[in-house]
Amino acid sequence: MARTGVFICHCGTNIGGTVDVSKVLEAAKSMPTVAYVDDNTYSCSEPGQASIHDAIIENRLDRVVIGCCSPRMHENTFRKTVATAGINPYLLEIANIREHCSWVHGDDKEAATDKAIELVRMAVAKAASLEPLFSRQVGLTKRALVIGGGIAGIQAALDIANADYEVVLVEREPSIGGRMAQLDKTFPTLDCSACILAPKMVDVAQHHNITLLTYAEVQDVKGFVGNFEVNILQKARKVDHIKCTGCGTCWQKCLERTPSEFNLEMGKRSAIYIPFPQAVPLKPVIDTEHCAHFKYLEAKEEGRDLPDCNICQQLCPVSAIDYEQEDQIISERFGAIIVATGYQTFDHSVYHEYGSGRYTDVITGLHLERLLSASGPTGGEVIRPSDGLLPKTVVFVSCVGSRDEQKGRSYCSKVCCMYMAKQAIMLKEHDPEVQCYIFYIDIRAGGKDFEEFARRAQEEYGTLYLRGRVSKIYQEGKKLIVCGEDSLIGRAVEIAADLVVLATGMEPSIGAVELAQRLKISYDTNNFFIEAHPKLRPVETNTDGIFLAGSCIGPKDIPESVAQGGAAAAKVTALFSQDVLTTDPMVATIDPMLCSGCLLCTQVCPFNAIDTQVTRDGRTIALVNETMCKGCGLCVASCRFGAADLRGFTQQQILAQVTSLWR
Amino acid sequence: MAIEYQPKIVGFLCNWCSYAGADVAGTSRICYPPNIRIIRVPCSGRIDPLLVVKSFQQGADGVLIAGCHPGDCHYTEGNYYARRRLALLRPFLEYIGIEKERFRVEWVSASEGKKWAQVVSSFTDELYKLGPREMTLAKGTG
Amino acid sequence: MRPDNYAYYPGCTLHSTAKEYDVSARLVCHKLGIKLQELENWTCCGASSAHTTSELLSIALPARELQAAEEMGLPLAVACAMCFSRLKHSAFELADKEKLDLVNELLGKEFHNTTEVVHLLKVLYEERDAMTVSRPLSSLKIACYYGCLLVRPQEIVDLDDVEDPQIMDQLMERLGAVTVDWGFKTECCGASLPLTKPEMVLKLSHRILSQAKQAGADCVAVACPMCHNNLDAYQKDMKRKYSDKFELPVLYFTQLAGLALGFSPKQLLLDKHFTSPLPMLRDKGLADAGIAIKYNLRLYSLQVEEIGIAEVRHG
Amino acid sequence: MSMTGTIKPSPSSDLQNFVESRSGQKVLRCYQCGKCSAGCPASYVMDMGPRQIMRAIQLGLREKALESSTIWLCISCQTCSARCPNEIDIARVMESLRWLAAAEKSEPAEKDIALFHQLFLTLIKRSGRVHELSLGALYNLLGRHPFANMKRLPGMLARGKLSVLPPRVKGVDEIRSLFAKVKAMEKEHQKREVE
């Protein structure tokens, strides 16, 4: 007969303020197997844990039920607590009377109390049928996969590599560098983005612990913490990067010209190309869609006639051009994965009131970065895309695709206020005759030296801030008329601008959801990835061994992304500092006496964790591979003979919870 | 004496999406009716139809099963199995005299606290409308 | 299967200042074999005045017409954008059972709010592929102006995008015309304010016209009598006030459709506008006499029969 | 109502409750970005922009809202509603304020427009449809601006666009009784609201 101890946490007033704890304790006393009840102001605090520890020993308890916050919060904390008192950590059951009770029934204290009592009763019932569980140990592969070669991914890769673990950095584009490479200057320090980024990119390329896979994508992921099996698709570059020296002959001599993605189609690039001068690796890929040779081949297929071209092949001094090169799949094992897939800018074509692309001189903040950049399409000269004239009146429009539920984006993109201030300053630096106007709703400058920076834009550079959201932009002759309100004076404002800059917000990179589904991590309604805990586990996911960094979690600026890259790396190195991993013992079991050998379970198991064995009497039956099993319980529900069961969630335990509701 | 009808709902929630979603409802203090009793399971694919039938047999007025959205399962495909399996269960429940409205399967993600509250509220309302079950197969008293 | 038989609600203006809209609409529909049955004894929808002063009235007045159409068992085709908006709003509000009962009590009639309200623009748009264009508008660059009431609010009128609608453009393109891409398709023209705030109407309408002009349009197509009045009737004053150099004819989309289908400008009452489109149409070679149709407009119940060739004037 | 002196904000006021219940719009969703005022074709003649009206409701400043010219100058073009980032149908809010103003018989800030609407309805009541000629004539007479908008009159007549005689419709009696019933009902309703 079990001796269960019930401990109810007040969680300050979070629980105690709504649930009548004394009533719950009173009721718990009379529950079967309950030998001891007590309450704590904060069970998770040190005195709280101590009192539980002592109570277990003094009252020879062998089961513990704690009524407190969600098990997703503190289950592990309390498992350790009971373990120190000499009980198997899995003889603990938590009744979630905060998230599932006091916090959602604050409007009805009595009902909340009754519910809390029943939740505790369910927990007690389950606890009675808990069994001690023992975890196993498995080895781990001390190699890390970093997905995304932006600043966050770069930082993560370097930190792990410097801790002397191997890293594979996978980047979808032909070069690493991400968005930061496209920026001109950075706020609030105004140092040159490329200048501070380039050295890091080179470090990545040269680091003996880092394998760089650009122009590659993660295709599928199997396995679990310590032992992930990942297939990476290496897209055909049509250039042998081992032979290639990056001399540049090919991309200088290539005759094709096509809009440059890196310059947001404001400049052109060749068909065999590197996206930008500081690209890493400094080795080209062939864009087969625009390459004359591949167009020729395609035409030949269709029986059409086009001139062939293989200048690059002829001129390459090391004959690195390989038209026959195919896509290939690279399969690797990793112990941990860091996801740093970053963001893309909001597509403003849904803003019909702003012209949705109708007006050439209405550009986005990122376009302006390219125009400001010395390595940009205009060599750093800011000109109107339409006629190449120098704009003298520039109007910024904030919150395009941010704080706008009507356009399906309720969140604040966080960086726009600052980059607008920066760009206003830079424009004035480029041409003192420029007058900048910024339409804003709020100036969000919460960050070190941010406020001071925004003030400089106003005081020293004469940027005129107008408090109001722009309603309409239209063309009047060569001018763009921007209609807003100055809500401080309460009157409508119209400004005739030469150039309009839309501060488009951040959204997750294309393909984020598909990647999340491959990795089995969760994402929110805006498709940003969800961290394990928004405050306390900001770079972990709910899947062990998979970590997050940068703006794939939500809008972030450069320093935050760098910090998160480092943080994720620290988590990975901590993981790799262990030689074995202890596995979760909550796995499936199969009763050989009941198993009929239908082996349906082997078919449904998503992890191929069920092997077969032959019994002495010659029957072939199922056998769970406990290191492979992730404890989903699919086999249990599909076993017709009740042979399969799941430790920690056994049929008996769950039924006990159900039936306890009607005792 | 007559006690007013308080429907009791048994909810089986997958640990990774729906249970977390219910937690979010808590952290964002979204109130909903107190009639549901949540049982945490690793995956909606773990839910054996027997558990549902047992719940009704015990006297549950409604059973709610919530898991990850299709495609988002932490175990890749558990919720697909759940969906098919529980679809088959429905006609059986009707056969044994339980209105189909009393059994719901919903997809609630780890971020959908609001949706969770709405699901519970609407289900509870519906059960109030349906009124108490005639305990055809119940051994419990309800 | 689209209906070819509609109950028809012209609305007050189509019987006076917007006569040409009514006539051209009837002619075009006749040519396309669409039967418009005018509601008997229809009365005003209440326009902005009703919903400005009394919620109940603003629902009840249109409900009266909706009920009449319901009795005929036909979808209700509406020409005036204001009427369209009011009828749609009323139908939307009456989804609320309480309000419906209230209105039934007011009307003293059995009304179930089943009437489908369609704007003529939508009717012709649906028909566009069935049209046989005898006089393509290929020489014409048209700025399609939808105005505000026709498209807003989306969840109630549900006709097209609220900022950048397309159906009139597509219809005009089907008739051979070129449409211009411009940003003022749904900017307000001053609506019912000419009497009370003429200077405002001037300002707004002028901005719309000059935008259309800048976009390179030969004329503006409208689907609303108020828009037409504001854009057409005040161009002289605009010239004075803003020293504009241009005049820009404003035509009903039904008149343009009529031209394409072969009616003559006169038949379509294109000579009734303040800013005459005739010179422009002549340059574009769209002004020649078309198929002759004899019709009389007495009582506005249009009897149409096609006869020989000769142009016949209407009585 | 004086524009000087301090104001006393009264959160969740009767005004706000009325507006929210009659317009179905959540006033507190407004974060005062001003996109409505910026796009409003009439804002430049209003004494307060739509944004300020929303604010007045949030603060419970009843007079400020009801005595503004804004609610009368609103043309219901719904540009504000179409563009509001918080999906507030501001045009409906204006509408509900006009109803309240009418119900309270508070002196309209834009007498002419109020008069126009009143005449418009009178004509409907009298002949079922609106006879523009009479509308214009009456408006000019009663509004004491006899020659307003006469320029177009000859043109209209010449083009046969204005019939001299008001239209005759069989449904008129129906309409009259409708108006009467509505009036009665609204009186009743107001009484209930007062109690």
Side-chain angles (χ1 to χ4, degrees):
Chain A
M1 175 66 177
R3 290 176 56 79
T4 308
V6 174
F7 302 85
I8 307 299
C9 177
H10 290 259
C11 193
T13 57
N14 284 309
I15 294 170
T18 307
V19 172
D20 182 339
V21 173
S22 56
K23 271 219 186 104
V24 179
L25 290 171
E26 205 43 50
K29 281 197 187 116
S30 59
M31 295 179 189
T33 77
V34 172
Y36 179 83
V37 303
D38 192 7
D39 60 340
N40 313 95
T41 344
Y42 290 104
S43 300
C44 56
S45 69
E46 189 160 2
Q49 295 192 44
S51 74
I52 294 172
H53 169 276
D54 300 346
I56 293 172
I57 293 173
E58 285 159 21
N59 305 283
R60 308 186 324 284
L61 305 174
D62 59 8
R63 296 284 190 287
V64 172
V65 166
I66 304 180
C68 56
C69 55
S70 170
R72 296 170 53 81
M73 186 78 194
H74 275 315
E75 193 169 46
N76 287 330
T77 319
F78 292 128
R79 281 205 176 129
K80 293 197 193 79
T81 317
V82 300
T84 55
I87 309 185
N88 179 287
Y90 295 91
L91 295 176
L92 163 81
E93 184 63 20
I94 285 182
N96 183 347
I97 61 170
R98 194 179 74 175
E99 282 83 347
H100 290 186
C101 190
S102 68
W103 275 354
V104 289
H105 307 316
D107 51 348
D108 185 345
K109 293 183 161 50
E110 198 177 328
T113 306
D114 298 346
K115 181 173 178 178
I117 292 172
E118 288 215 329
L119 293 178
V120 170
R121 184 184 291 118
M122 289 163 79
V124 169
K126 184 176 180 184
S129 55
L130 286 174
E131 299 148 350
L133 302 178
F134 304 93
S135 44
R136 302 165 148 259
Q137 301 194 314
V138 293
L140 71 155
T141 318
K142 298 189 177 185
R143 298 178 79 231
L145 169 67
V146 176
I147 307 172
I151 185 60
I154 288 174
Q155 187 63 45
L158 286 173
D159 289 354
I160 298 171
N162 291 335
D164 210 17
Y165 296 109
E166 286 178 35
V167 182
V168 174
L169 175 57
V170 173
E171 167 58 50
R172 178 160 61 183
E173 300 300 320
S175 167
I176 58 171
R179 293 286 166 215
M180 187 175 171
Q182 290 179 286
L183 306 182
D184 173 40
K185 300 274 189 293
T186 60
F187 61 80
T189 50
L190 290 185
D191 35 16
C192 152
S193 188
C195 313
I196 54 176
L197 175 64
K200 281 182 172 288
M201 291 164 63
V202 175
D203 290 352
V204 167
Q206 293 172 346
H207 204 295
H208 63 284
N209 278 336
I210 299 181
T211 312
L212 181 55
L213 296 179
T214 53
Y215 215 47
E217 288 181 50
V218 170
Q219 214 169 32
D220 68 317
V221 180
K222 285 201 201 64
F224 46 90
V225 56
N227 300 283
F228 292 104
E229 291 157 20
V230 182
N231 286 344
I232 300 163
L233 169 71
Q234 174 64 67
K235 290 175 274 183
R237 302 184 177 107
K238 307 293 180 183
V239 175
D240 182 338
H241 275 207
I242 297 158
K243 290 188 193 157
C244 175
T245 62
C247 68
T249 317
C250 54
W251 68 78
Q252 283 149 15
K253 293 284 184 272
C254 175
L255 299 171
E256 293 295 321
R257 284 289 174 273
T258 164
S260 146
E261 297 82 358
F262 184 80
N263 284 328
L264 308 167
E265 317 223 317
M266 287 189 299
K268 297 233 183 270
R269 61 159 172 84
S270 43
I272 181 166
Y273 72 106
I274 55 167
F276 55 100
Q278 307 90 328
V280 168
L282 195 70
K283 297 179 181 182
V285 301
I286 294 179
D287 162 9
T288 55
E289 193 190 329
H290 296 99
C291 167
H293 176 68
F294 286 93
K295 281 193 252 173
Y296 155 80
L297 292 177
E298 193 187 357
K300 215 166 83 185
E301 291 271 310
E302 299 159 359
R304 288 181 293 110
D305 192 25
L306 272 184
D308 191 4
C309 162
N310 41 33
I311 292 178
C312 51
Q313 198 172 43
Q314 289 162 10
L315 297 182
C316 180
V318 293
S319 57
I321 309 296
D322 172 9
Y323 293 136
E324 274 67 49
Q325 196 183 73
E326 295 291 336
D327 293 0
Q328 52 168 316
I329 303 293
I330 303 168
S331 303
E332 297 262 7
R333 270 181 159 275
F334 298 101
I337 300 175
I338 293 178
V339 188
T341 48
Y343 73 97
Q344 65 189 29
T345 52
F346 180 81
D347 170 11
H348 63 86
S349 60
V350 296
Y351 278 84
H352 293 302
E353 61 269 46
Y354 298 165
S356 51
R358 181 182 292 116
Y359 312 118
T360 359
D361 295 330
V362 176
I363 61 174
T364 72
L366 199 54
H367 284 88
L368 185 53
E369 290 293 337
R370 293 317 299 146
L371 290 175
L372 284 163
S373 164
S375 67
T378 58
E381 189 180 25
V382 179
I383 56 171
R384 278 158 55 108
S386 64
D387 53 17
L389 296 178
L390 299 172
K392 296 300 174 189
T393 307
V394 180
V395 174
F396 290 84
V397 179
S398 20
C399 300
V400 179
S402 302
R403 306 180 65 188
D404 192 338
E405 307 213 0
Q406 198 238 358
K407 302 288 194 280
R409 287 283 180 280
S410 55
Y411 57 89
C412 166
S413 288
K414 199 173 184 184
V415 295
C416 319
C417 286
M418 294 312 294
Y419 80 62
M420 283 190 294
K422 176 197 71 181
Q423 292 178 335
I425 289 176
M426 291 320 297
L427 283 168
K428 198 81 174 173
E429 290 278 350
H430 277 235
D431 175 358
E433 289 173 19
V434 171
Q435 175 61 53
C436 292
Y437 299 85
I438 296 182
F439 280 98
Y440 72 100
I441 308 178
D442 301 292
I443 302 176
R444 300 198 163 170
K448 194 177 181 185
D449 295 329
F450 284 14
E451 174 62 15
E452 296 84 336
F453 185 74
R455 294 286 300 278
R456 271 176 62 207
Q458 300 166 61
E459 295 164 17
E460 292 171 36
Y461 292 85
T463 309
L464 184 58
Y465 275 70
L466 297 158
R467 197 207 164 277
R469 192 190 264 271
V470 167
S471 172
K472 176 121 187 136
I473 301 170
Y474 64 93
Q475 189 133 23
E476 186 72 57
K478 285 192 140 306
K479 293 282 188 179
L480 291 156
I481 311 299
V482 183
C483 311
E485 186 203 13
D486 183 299
S487 60
L488 303 178
I489 200 87
R491 279 271 157 256
V493 195
E494 283 191 0
I495 297 176
D498 301 315
L499 186 69
V500 176
V501 182
L502 303 180
T504 48
M506 290 184 171
E507 63 184 17
S509 304
I510 184 164
V513 170
E514 295 71 14
L515 183 62
Q517 292 177 341
R518 278 179 219 136
L519 292 163
K520 289 140 215 152
I521 59 177
S522 30
Y523 50 93
D524 66 22
T525 44
N526 297 310
N527 298 347
F528 286 113
F529 302 145
I530 299 180
E531 55 280 64
H533 189 285
K535 299 261 177 301
L536 303 174
R537 300 178 65 200
V539 296
E540 292 99 318
T541 65
N542 279 326
T543 306
D544 294 348
I546 300 184
F547 305 91
L548 304 171
S551 48
C552 61
I553 310 171
K556 268 177 202 57
D557 62 11
I558 293 167
E560 285 175 311
S561 304
V562 172
Q564 286 201 326
K571 299 285 173 188
V572 170
T573 48
L575 179 70
F576 287 177
S577 67
Q578 311 168 60
D579 293 323
V580 288
L581 296 177
T582 54
T583 63
D584 184 346
M586 295 194 168
V587 294
T589 57
I590 286 168
D591 180 340
M593 304 315 293
L594 293 176
C595 178
S596 74
C598 72
L599 301 184
L600 183 61
C601 50
T602 60
Q603 294 161 35
V604 301
C605 179
F607 306 98
N608 318 324
I610 302 182
D611 309 335
T612 58
Q613 66 172 348
V614 180
T615 56
R616 258 189 239 86
D617 51 351
R619 293 181 306 131
T620 307
I621 60 165
L623 174 71
V624 176
N625 173 339
E626 297 198 358
T627 55
M628 301 276 281
C629 176
K630 299 305 294 167
C632 67
L634 259 182
C635 50
V636 183
S638 50
C639 180
R640 305 193 189 90
F641 305 88
D645 210 341
L646 182 62
R647 294 200 182 113
F649 294 98
T650 64
Q651 203 76 347
Q652 186 198 0
Q653 288 160 356
I654 296 176
L655 282 175
Q657 285 175 285
V658 173
T659 44
S660 73
L661 282 170
W662 283 277
R663 283 233 180 80
Chain B
M1 62 156 198
I3 25 154
E4 62 158 325
Y5 168 55
Q6 288 280 0
K8 194 178 276 188
I9 307 169
V10 178
F12 296 98
L13 274 64
C14 93
N15 175 55
W16 302 100
C17 293
S18 305
Y19 194 94
D23 280 357
V24 170
T27 39
S28 15
R29 311 294 199 277
I30 309 171
C31 286
Y32 56 83
N35 305 59
I36 187 155
R37 303 290 176 262
I38 294 174
I39 295 178
R40 181 164 70 129
V41 292
C43 176
S44 50
R46 160 70 181 90
I47 297 154
D48 182 343
L50 180 72
L51 294 171
V52 179
V53 177
K54 274 278 186 194
S55 306
F56 280 118
Q57 186 185 39
Q58 288 295 317
D61 299 290
V63 175
L64 172 62
I65 288 174
C68 307
H69 287 272
D72 296 357
C73 177
H74 182 74
Y75 304 102
T76 324
E77 52 200 4
N79 51 2
Y80 290 122
Y81 282 97
R83 185 163 61 182
R84 269 172 266 147
R85 200 177 281 135
L86 299 167
L88 294 176
L89 175 61
R90 211 173 244 106
F92 172 73
L93 288 176
E94 289 193 74
Y95 173 72
I96 58 176
I98 292 164
E99 304 92 321
K100 58 178 182 314
E101 294 77 12
R102 295 191 183 272
F103 176 58
R104 270 201 199 184
V105 181
E106 298 275 357
W107 311 124
V108 178
S109 85
S111 65
E112 294 176 325
K114 200 185 248 122
K115 182 180 178 188
W116 167 250
Q118 283 159 356
V119 165
V120 177
S121 306
S122 72
F123 193 24
T124 314
D125 293 349
E126 180 149 29
L127 291 173
Y128 269 111
K129 287 200 201 79
L130 277 171
R133 267 175 53 208
E134 319 81 48
M135 294 301 168
T136 44
L137 80 164
K139 79 173 190 301
T141 50
Chain C
M1 176 59 194
R2 56 120 191 128
D4 48 13
N5 201 348
Y6 292 86
Y8 177 50
Y9 180 75
C12 305
T13 47
L14 270 80
H15 278 199
S16 54
T17 47
K19 209 179 241 181
E20 60 273 40
Y21 190 9
D22 187 43
V23 172
S24 52
R26 290 173 190 270
L27 286 176
V28 168
C29 288
H30 167 76
K31 191 88 174 72
L32 297 172
I34 301 168
K35 199 141 166 280
L36 298 180
Q37 299 180 30
E38 181 164 347
L39 296 174
E40 280 177 23
N41 300 317
W42 57 266
T43 51
C44 178
C45 67
S48 48
S49 298
H51 85 96
T52 296
T53 40
S54 155
E55 180 177 18
L56 201 45
L57 209 52
S58 71
I59 302 174
L61 284 171
R64 182 177 178 276
E65 313 308 322
L66 292 170
Q67 189 275 342
E70 191 178 69
E71 252 178 37
M72 296 165 74
L74 291 174
L76 180 59
V78 188
C80 168
M82 170 62 88
C83 305
F84 174 67
S85 163
R86 293 328 309 167
L87 288 160
K88 276 283 196 183
H89 270 89
S90 175
F92 181 82
E93 294 293 335
L94 290 173
D96 173 352
K97 186 80 176 65
E98 258 178 50
K99 290 183 179 157
L100 185 59
D101 297 343
L102 198 61
V103 163
N104 274 327
E105 190 186 329
L106 281 170
L107 297 175
K109 289 182 177 161
E110 254 313 275
F111 175 49
H112 310 89
N113 193 25
T114 59
T115 310
E116 183 203 357
V117 181
V118 242
H119 192 277
L120 268 179
L121 175 59
K122 190 63 178 263
V123 174
L124 294 202
Y125 171 77
E126 300 287 344
E127 275 298 307
R128 66 192 185 287
D129 297 332
M131 296 182 179
T132 43
V133 179
S134 60
R135 188 198 278 139
L137 308 178
S138 32
S139 48
L140 221 48
K141 281 185 91 181
I142 303 177
C144 294
Y145 176 70
Y146 298 73
C148 29
L149 295 171
L150 197 56
V151 287
R152 297 183 195 134
Q154 191 131 38
E155 65 273 23
I156 295 182
V157 297
D158 182 33
L159 189 83
D160 203 339
D161 185 275
V162 291
E163 291 284 354
D164 190 18
Q166 292 299 336
I167 64 176
M168 201 197 295
D169 295 72
Q170 288 174 24
L171 176 59
M172 290 301 136
E173 281 155 19
R174 170 67 180 81
L175 302 175
V178 179
T179 60
V180 301
D181 175 31
W182 64 316
F184 275 62
K185 288 178 174 181
T186 64
E187 289 293 309
C188 177
C189 66
S192 59
L193 289 183
L195 218 46
T196 47
K197 291 268 173 247
E199 76 290 345
M200 189 164 131
V201 174
L202 275 193
K203 179 173 186 278
L204 299 174
S205 301
H206 167 262
R207 209 174 50 158
I208 292 164
L209 288 171
S210 54
Q211 280 289 313
K213 186 73 186 171
Q214 279 183 47
D218 304 314
C219 65
V220 177
V222 297
C224 165
M226 272 192 302
C227 301
H228 186 273
N229 181 58
N230 293 350
L231 294 180
D232 171 54
Y234 297 86
Q235 293 200 17
K236 280 201 167 46
D237 310 38
M238 291 179 198
K239 273 188 159 166
R240 213 168 296 114
K241 189 158 185 222
Y242 302 97
S243 53
D244 283 337
K245 299 278 162 291
F246 67 91
E247 274 190 359
L248 201 59
V250 183
L251 291 74
Y252 289 102
F253 74 99
T254 45
Q255 292 178 299
L256 286 156
L259 278 175
L261 297 180
F263 296 101
S264 74
K266 207 162 168 42
Q267 292 169 314
L268 297 161
L269 305 193
L270 279 161
D271 51 354
K272 297 283 177 203
H273 297 331
F274 279 83
T275 311
S276 172
L278 296 171
M280 184 269 293
L281 291 175
R282 278 192 211 97
D283 318 339
K284 302 287 180 186
L286 295 168
D288 54 340
I291 28 160
I293 292 186
K294 172 159 134 262
Y295 56 89
N296 79 60
L297 291 165
R298 244 172 283 103
L299 304 171
Y300 293 101
S301 51
L302 186 74
Q303 293 110 32
V304 191
E305 51 187 86
E306 307 205 12
I307 57 155
I309 323 88
E311 167 87 332
V312 184
R313 82 190 52 75
H314 51 84
Chain D
M1 171 212 54
S2 81
M3 301 293 284
T4 57
T6 59
I7 53 163
K8 298 226 176 339
S10 49
S12 57
S13 59
D14 302 350
L15 177 65
Q16 184 184 324
N17 298 335
F18 178 89
V19 168
E20 294 198 334
S21 65
R22 293 294 286 278
S23 71
Q25 305 303 308
K26 291 235 177 315
V27 173
L28 292 181
R29 286 184 58 84
C30 171
Y31 60 29
Q32 291 286 300
C33 71
K35 197 174 185 180
C36 47
S37 298
C40 177
S43 67
Y44 78 104
V45 284
M46 295 169 169
D47 51 8
M48 296 162 71
R51 176 189 55 81
Q52 290 167 305
I53 294 291
M54 296 300 291
R55 190 61 185 155
I57 303 169
Q58 290 176 337
L59 296 175
L61 305 177
R62 197 183 183 87
E63 292 71 23
K64 217 166 160 37
L66 295 185
E67 291 169 12
S68 67
S69 70
T70 314
I71 57 176
W72 297 104
L73 288 166
C74 167
I75 330 167
S76 312
C77 72
Q78 302 164 62
T79 309
C80 47
S81 311
R83 294 181 186 163
C84 175
N86 296 308
E87 299 178 306
I88 306 169
D89 189 338
I90 301 149
R92 298 214 70 185
V93 171
M94 295 292 167
E95 194 175 51
S96 63
L97 286 175
R98 281 192 294 266
W99 296 336
L100 187 58
E104 297 199 336
K105 305 232 167 3
S106 55
E107 175 76 357
E110 287 286 331
K111 300 193 188 52
D112 290 350
I113 298 180
L115 171 69
F116 172 84
H117 291 313
Q118 186 204 334
L119 292 173
F120 198 103
L121 291 177
T122 325
L123 287 176
I124 302 177
K125 193 157 79 184
R126 206 174 52 197
S127 51
R129 296 178 193 173
V130 174
H131 180 237
E132 278 144 322
L133 198 55
S134 328
L135 179 60
L138 284 171
Y139 172 77
N140 287 0
L141 235 52
L142 302 173
R144 304 217 165 59
H145 22 59
F147 302 108
N149 224 280
M150 299 291 268
K151 272 198 232 80
R152 252 142 252 85
L153 189 54
M156 288 284 183
L157 291 166
R159 289 169 172 75
K161 284 188 161 200
L162 287 175
S163 52
V164 185
L165 297 175
R168 260 178 236 84
V169 189
K170 286 210 197 64
V172 182
D173 332 345
E174 240 179 84
I175 286 293
R176 288 193 184 137
S177 68
L178 180 66
F179 272 75
K181 283 191 203 156
V182 168
K183 210 179 191 72
M185 257 185 210
E186 279 172 343
K187 270 221 179 61
E188 188 49 39
H189 189 76
Q190 271 169 44
K191 245 198 245 108
R192 258 185 272 115
E193 269 185 356
V194 175
E195 283 152 15

